[in-house]
Amino acid sequence: MLLAIDIGNTNLVIGCIKDDAIVFKARIATDKAKTSDQYGVEIKNMLEAFGVQKEDISDCIISSVVPPVFNSVKTGVIKVIGKQPLVVGPGLKTGLNIHVDIPSQVGSDRIVIAVAALATYKAPLILLDLGTATTIEVVEPDNIYMGGIIFPGVKISLDALTSRAAQI
């Protein structure tokens, strides 16, 4: 079973995949102050809550857009499952041909959404992710990742508008 972890600005989304089926998915609040031990306990508790034992985990992959949290989560995972996780980042072969000026600077979340979409759909694709930040990605035929844009998500935009506008 594969343990997959997506470290986002608001939440860590964790889940397990077995035989191409999602066994479970859950969320843990992202907190820069948490230690590796705290993340390890939370991940262990989530696995147990869904009936997954550490022996069931054959591999792990982590994607992160929150560098200050990444090492704590990675170390916590190693403590829980006893395995070194694969990390989505530069050098990982994804099947994408990244056509941007500095490919190593493309966020792992943006790569993961493109790879996931291509597993189900054929390019050309325009992909939207409506999270803390809103991202739009463009993937051309032959798995060519052309790039995209990032702008504030709906909640951030609403918070900014209501804190700055007089009569909203």
Side-chain angles (χ1 to χ4, degrees):
M1 188 175 322
L2 173 69
L3 172 62
I5 301 175
D6 176 24
I7 305 170
N9 290 298
T10 306
N11 291 299
L12 273 76
V13 180
I14 72 167
C16 282
I17 302 163
K18 182 177 182 181
D19 300 326
D20 293 330
I22 297 172
V23 175
F24 82 89
K25 63 180 177 177
R27 293 178 181 274
I28 298 171
T30 301
D31 184 347
K32 294 175 186 166
K34 286 182 186 172
T35 66
S36 62
D37 293 326
Q38 289 171 306
Y39 276 118
V41 167
E42 289 189 359
I43 291 166
K44 182 177 183 283
N45 288 343
M46 283 296 182
L47 292 172
E48 289 174 357
F50 289 95
V52 176
Q53 301 299 315
K54 71 177 187 175
E55 297 81 21
D56 298 334
I57 307 292
S58 59
D59 215 342
C60 177
I61 188 164
I62 300 175
S63 170
S64 176
V65 295
V66 191
V69 174
F70 171 73
N71 281 330
S72 293
V73 172
K74 180 181 173 189
T75 303
V77 165
I78 293 168
K79 290 176 181 179
V80 171
I81 68 170
K83 294 177 175 60
Q84 193 71 235
L86 186 63
V87 177
V88 178
L92 180 69
K93 300 296 181 197
T94 62
L96 283 182
N97 187 355
I98 302 173
H99 280 238
V100 297
D101 291 339
I102 307 172
S104 64
Q105 291 184 346
V106 177
S108 63
D109 59 331
R110 301 173 78 191
I111 300 303
V112 168
I113 193 173
V115 171
L118 287 166
T120 304
Y121 304 101
K122 292 181 77 169
L125 298 168
I126 296 175
L127 309 167
L128 287 90
D129 182 2
L130 307 173
T132 305
T134 297
T135 61
I136 300 174
E137 316 305 330
V138 176
V139 181
E140 293 289 332
D142 298 322
N143 297 353
I144 297 173
Y145 176 86
M146 297 301 295
I149 60 172
I150 302 172
F151 53 95
V154 173
K155 184 172 183 334
I156 289 174
S157 297
L158 178 63
D159 290 347
L161 183 62
T162 57
S163 70
R164 301 285 180 150
Q167 290 190 319
I168 299 240

